[in-house]
Amino acid sequence: MSPFDDSTLSERRALILALVVREHVKHALPVSSAALVEGYDLGVSAATVRSELAALEEAGMLTHPHTSAGRLPTVAGYRYFVERLMKTAGLEGEEQRTIRHQFHQAGWEPERWMRLSAAIIAQRSGIAGLVAAKREQRPTAPRLYHAGLTQILFAPEFAGSERMRGVVELLEHGRGLEPLLERMPRMGVHVVFGGEPPLDEVPEMTLVIACFGSESAPAGILGAVGPTRMAYERAVPTVGFVADLMTELMTG
């Protein structure tokens, strides 16, 4: 049975998976049954929680590092969380007004909109922001704008120089973005997890991205770049709002 079948997770297991994801995102540590029982009113014993964690591991949603009694979400667990469990409310009205005002101050200058988009996404998602704009003359490499690299430099997932190099190559040189520019669905926000094309060689990194511009001829993609352990409930609505606003501005 696929781990994404509706029948896979009971309501309690889905809740526990969501809590593990949120706790791991917050603390960057394995999550134990004791931490869940102490931190949340689950109405069940620690033994029951341990049993549910084991079942989630069996389903491929969690993994069990040998050095710890806690669990970590797998890519499958993160994907299930993003597609089924996370809160999907948009940005608050005050946040929307603030962002719109920032774009208004930028004037009618698409170049400044690109830079501002990357900066706003970085600021409000807590990770890096990226804009890859298609060039009118259609050379291979897109125009790139990024912000917030220093916010992810010290993430434990990128502690090794080789891992960090993959992030820098994406942000500075757009390595692997061409397929996304050409084939990504025009509507909605999409999560590209590490280990999947074009992130085959950087399994620790994930993109939250959306197209902007007209539906028939998008001007490019924009989004958040960070470790797979990211605050999706913050990144997804931020990217969605900025992409919609950029589309609104560029299509008049």
Side-chain angles (χ1 to χ4, degrees), residues 118 121-122 125-130 146-152 167 171 223-226:
I121 290 171
S125 67
I127 47 180
L130 172 69
H146 65 83
L149 178 58
T150 56
Q151 296 186 147
I152 59 175
V167 177
L171 293 176
V225 182

Side-chain angles (χ1 to χ4, degrees), residues 4 17 21 60-62 73-82 85 193:
F4 304 109
L17 174 61
V21 169
M61 303 288 185
L62 301 178
T74 62
V75 169
Y78 277 116
R79 186 189 298 282
Y80 195 99
F81 175 80
V82 168
L85 305 179
F193 290 97

